[in-house]
Amino acid sequence: MKFLLVAGARPNFMKVAPIWWASRRRKAPDVEVRLVHTGQHYDAEMSEEFFRDLGLPEPDVNLGVGSASHAVQTARVMVAFEEVCIRERPDWTVVVGDVNSTLACAITAKKLGIRVAHVEAGLRSGDLSMPEEINRICTDAIADLLFTTDRIASQNLLREGVPAERIHLVGNTMIDSLVTHLERARQLPLPEGLVAGGFALLTLHRPSNVDDAGVLARILEAVGAVADHLPVVFPVHPRTAPNLPRQVHPNLVLAPPLGYLRFLSLLVRARLVMTDSGGIQEETTFLGIPCLTLRPNTERPITCELGTNVVVGNDPVRIRSAALEILQNGMRRGMVPEYWDGHAAERIVKILLDGHSISC
Ligand code: UD1
């Protein structure tokens, strides 16, 4: 049994690492796993540092595609990944998440008759202006096995007509990584001037929030209301950097993109998180930290239903009032979704290698 495990962009690495480790722990001589990095993200802080923090080896293959328009980036991954598939002839291609690399590798493998497993299947925002939503829908439509993180995702797939025997509610491999590395992250010292529970954390990289400098400036102005009360740490994504205003609130602490452990060490001790990321909504739910999602919708509604996430969009008035409300009155602790227990990757590997044993 040979499978290709694909990662391309920053949010993929922490989802792939537990699967790689779980397959290694099986110590089955007839199981071969090849780690493929598409190179969609390539900066040291966006990629290498994550491999190091997560204990992942150098990828067996790096397609080195780099940045480009959606069509060009997706096409480059497809052309390069086709060669790898033809050379390696795997039994399975395992893709995670919703980035362009996910879709590109799923289509390429499927057209060569190679079975495709999608980890984190079934998430839906209902918003087709998000490129990730298109990637999710198309990947799920052709996947042979669909591993979901929560019951809402399984229900979405059933509603779309995916046969129940292909859907497996296994939990969340990103939370597997979080569970594994939490203690190490807690041990890291905080940057000077920050104390646990005494700062907020901000991340922004969605095109709808950062590609227009005016929109970004208005969001940062609203965040200034939080910065009036406590430092707001803002690790800046490369997509966001060129559009930052010249002057920002003096209590807004700008930082370069942070590696996995360094970011986690801040996340776990933040009083409030403001983000447009998908994964951070889940990490804060697991940690019980208040999270404001600066997007009009979420593909992860379980984090609002059970967890500590509130979707506020990017309207400055709403951001300001929701954030100040949390600073004044706190927020309920919330609940952790079923199967977010650090063992999702073991379930996935068991199903891939031993056949189907769990279902939606
Ligand atoms: C991608 C994913 C998004 C994910 C995000 C996490 C898609 C469609 N989007 O968005 O879902 O949430 O990653 O970061 O796949 N750049 C660098 N160095 C890098 C990578 C990118 O400087 O290592 C810059 C380039 O200018 C590039 C831009 O960032 O054009 C955007 O990168 P890209 O991979 O196209 O999309 P992200 O915005 O990172």
Side-chain angles (χ1 to χ4, degrees), residues 11 40-43 67 70 73 99-100 132 205 237-239:
Q40 177 173 344
H41 283 174
Y42 45 85
D43 284 351
S67 301
H70 283 270
Q73 188 176 59
V99 302
N100 287 342
E132 294 81 2
H205 73 278
H237 188 283
R239 176 173 205 118

Side-chain angles (χ1 to χ4, degrees), residues 187-330:
Q187 305 299 324
L188 291 184
L190 284 171
E192 218 182 300
L194 298 182
V195 292
F199 64 94
L201 188 57
L202 172 71
T203 80
L204 293 169
H205 73 278
R206 293 280 155 208
S208 55
N209 283 338
V210 306
D211 283 2
D212 179 325
V215 172
L216 179 59
R218 281 191 290 282
I219 294 174
L220 293 181
E221 231 178 275
V223 168
V226 178
D228 284 341
H229 297 271
L230 72 184
V232 179
V233 184
F234 182 22
V236 181
H237 188 283
R239 176 173 205 118
T240 311
N243 288 331
L244 278 181
R246 274 216 194 108
Q247 270 212 317
V248 295
H249 193 291
N251 230 4
L252 189 63
V253 185
L254 300 181
L258 301 175
Y260 183 65
L261 283 175
R262 287 198 295 158
F263 184 77
L264 202 54
S265 78
L266 291 173
L267 185 67
V268 70
R269 287 174 281 194
R271 167 121 166 248
L272 164 68
V273 175
M274 292 165 284
T275 188
D276 59 10
S277 147
I280 294 172
Q281 299 170 44
E282 297 180 336
E283 290 167 332
T284 46
T285 275
F286 182 84
L287 295 166
I289 293 170
C291 176
L292 296 179
T293 293
L294 312 188
R295 282 167 38 187
N297 47 52
T298 179
E299 63 289 341
R300 292 161 161 91
I302 198 86
T303 59
C304 301
E305 191 185 301
L306 296 183
T308 50
N309 186 25
V310 181
V311 174
V312 293
N314 66 6
D315 170 42
V317 177
R318 242 187 118 196
I319 297 172
R320 196 179 290 123
S321 71
L324 293 180
E325 160 71 21
I326 290 171
L327 291 187
Q328 269 158 25
N329 301 321

